[in-house]
Amino acid sequence: MRVLCTSILSPSQTREAIRFARLLSGAGHEVHIATEEHLLGFFLDQGVPATPCLPSLFGDAMTAGEETRDAVGHLRSGAASPDTAALALAGPHLLSQFTALDALAHEFKPDLLLRDAMDVSACLVAEKLAIPQVAMASGAKGFTDPAALLPYLNQWRSTTGLPLQDDPLSLTAHGHLDYLPPSWTFAPHLPPAHAYRQPAFHDPRAKLPSWILGLPTDRPLVYAGIGCALPLFLPAPDGHRPLAGQPDPATVLRSMTEGLSRLDCTAVVSTSGVSVAGLDPAPHVHVVDHVPQPLLLEAVDLFLTHGGYTSVREAISTATPMAVLPRTADQPMNARRVTELGIGGEVTDPTPAGIASTCRRLLDDGSVLRRVKQARLACLALPTVETAVGDLESLVNHHTAPQ
């Protein structure tokens, strides 16, 4: 079986492509990854070929007209409606994405397209090749509404000579993958996923720093982090600055640190390498560049998070309550869903006082811990992610091309 994977926009999504590339290649299948130039480094030395043939989806959107540019801005700020998100994903800028992926697919001749959930062009390429396509786990599914995307997809189908579709769920005609069972889903507009158990953290080199062993355990331990998406909003080395209204990661980190400085706890704040000038944390707040997040989550009482989907899943897999301070993209929707499920709460007041108040309330609420333990148990009842290989093989073997 020949599998073409796509990975775009965010470093967090490279992990999914690498994970499935390793699983599939380990089962004897040939895998190739199509990605963007700025993500290529994540695939080097992974044992799977990757081609940086895809243009920057949102970079192209910036030159596709004011309406499209504004739609991307709304999506990045976390304020996009389903229609606005659809334009940001599948507007006029999609043509270059489709053309590049179509060319690689024509050369590679895949039997299956395993796509980044934000890569809508892969749906069209799969339809052109009459092969199945499946979206990997992603927070993008939180703002992906098949009904809103259908008009855009049909416009591109018409442009590329493909048959039009009446069913919005043609977007996920062959299903999608996730690590949460249907009752705990963060994808409200999509049908139930093929759900698998969240893979255990497996970096053999990772360990917690030795200084953590000296932290006091007579008070709650809180971890705060901003993941790998927010640092992308820093000014680029070439002088390019983020769009107006985009979140400033340094400001978020300052608010987190000052908020935890007001809380009776022991706290670790990971900056993801972002420089925060003049930061003056309280003695009980320890600010570091990086820490192995999945490992530390196994020992903390509360996770103050930006609310990226990977971080949310890691918190659930370790039964860690969450205080979610959303800033961009899917994070506001994830924060609301965390609150709805009772596994944490949204920080609606982003001031240091508001952050401290939300964290204090969640630490005092035993029902949140009980609820997130229920979520973890539900995830432990899922099949291992390794069984996805057999499911994908069966999908390809039983797929019948449309006549």
Side-chain angles (χ1 to χ4, degrees), residues 30-391:
E30 186 174 353
V31 183
H32 198 99
I33 296 173
T35 190
E36 300 175 0
E37 181 70 39
H38 74 105
L39 296 176
L40 181 61
F42 292 93
F43 297 104
L44 298 179
D45 302 323
Q46 295 296 330
V48 180
T51 301
C53 62
L54 301 181
S56 170
L57 180 64
F58 286 169
D60 283 3
M62 294 298 99
T63 60
E66 182 178 358
E67 186 180 10
T68 303
R69 184 170 63 252
D70 289 347
V72 172
H74 286 305
L75 184 60
R76 282 178 162 172
S77 67
S81 67
D83 290 337
T84 303
L87 175 58
L89 294 178
H93 53 297
L94 191 69
L95 180 60
S96 58
Q97 193 90 3
F98 170 81
T99 302
L101 185 60
D102 184 46
L104 179 60
H106 180 77
E107 177 183 343
F108 183 65
K109 297 179 173 58
D111 303 298
L112 171 68
L113 232 166
L114 199 56
R115 67 180 179 89
D116 189 305
M118 293 190 75
D119 180 11
V120 180
S121 71
C123 302
L124 302 170
V125 172
E127 289 178 15
K128 182 178 179 181
L129 297 176
I131 62 173
Q133 57 85 11
V134 178
M136 293 175 282
S138 169
K141 296 175 185 177
F143 54 72
T144 300
D145 185 343
L149 271 167
L150 183 62
Y152 292 97
L153 282 174
N154 274 339
Q155 184 178 19
W156 286 116
R157 286 171 178 133
S158 177
T159 300
T160 55
L162 295 169
L164 304 187
Q165 303 281 345
D166 295 326
D167 186 0
L169 293 183
S170 58
L171 178 71
T172 55
H174 308 98
H176 63 107
L177 310 180
D178 209 342
Y179 299 117
L180 296 176
S183 58
W184 298 89
T185 185
F186 279 65
H189 304 294
L190 299 182
H194 300 290
Y196 304 94
R197 193 183 313 157
Q198 171 85 12
F201 187 62
H202 62 271
D203 184 348
R205 301 164 297 178
K207 63 177 182 178
L208 293 179
S210 57
W211 60 264
I212 284 185
L213 301 180
L215 295 180
T217 57
D218 59 345
R219 62 183 68 181
L221 179 58
V222 181
Y223 169 63
I226 61 169
C228 57
L230 276 183
L232 297 177
F233 292 103
L234 289 170
D238 61 5
H240 172 75
R241 300 193 65 82
L243 295 174
Q246 302 305 298
D248 174 27
T251 299
V252 175
L253 285 166
R254 184 180 303 280
S255 296
M256 285 181 163
T257 303
E258 292 179 0
L260 293 177
S261 293
R262 301 178 178 213
L263 192 66
D264 183 18
C265 70
T266 298
V268 177
V269 179
S270 173
T271 68
S272 296
V274 174
S275 177
V276 187
L279 195 63
D280 185 24
H284 65 272
V285 179
H286 306 268
V287 180
V288 297
D289 284 345
H290 297 281
V291 69
Q293 177 170 295
L295 292 183
L296 186 54
L297 286 178
E298 293 187 22
V300 304
D301 299 290
L302 182 68
F303 181 20
L304 174 57
T305 172
H306 63 302
Y309 191 50
T310 298
S311 291
V312 168
R313 295 198 321 262
E314 289 175 350
I316 291 175
S317 71
T318 56
T320 306
M322 288 167 274
V324 186
L325 179 64
R327 298 289 90 184
T328 182
D330 59 315
Q331 295 166 17
M333 288 165 280
N334 293 343
R336 290 192 291 271
R337 184 60 174 154
V338 164
T339 303
E340 290 171 359
L341 291 171
I343 56 178
E346 180 177 359
V347 180
T348 55
D349 175 3
T351 65
I355 292 171
S357 176
T358 300
C359 290
R360 190 176 298 112
R361 174 176 60 82
L362 292 170
L363 285 169
D364 290 340
D365 188 351
S367 68
V368 176
L369 178 58
R370 292 191 293 272
R371 185 66 173 159
V372 77
K373 284 183 176 180
Q374 290 177 335
R376 181 172 185 258
L377 286 172
C379 292
L380 291 174
L382 295 172
T384 65
V385 70
E386 286 78 11
T387 62
V389 173
D391 293 339

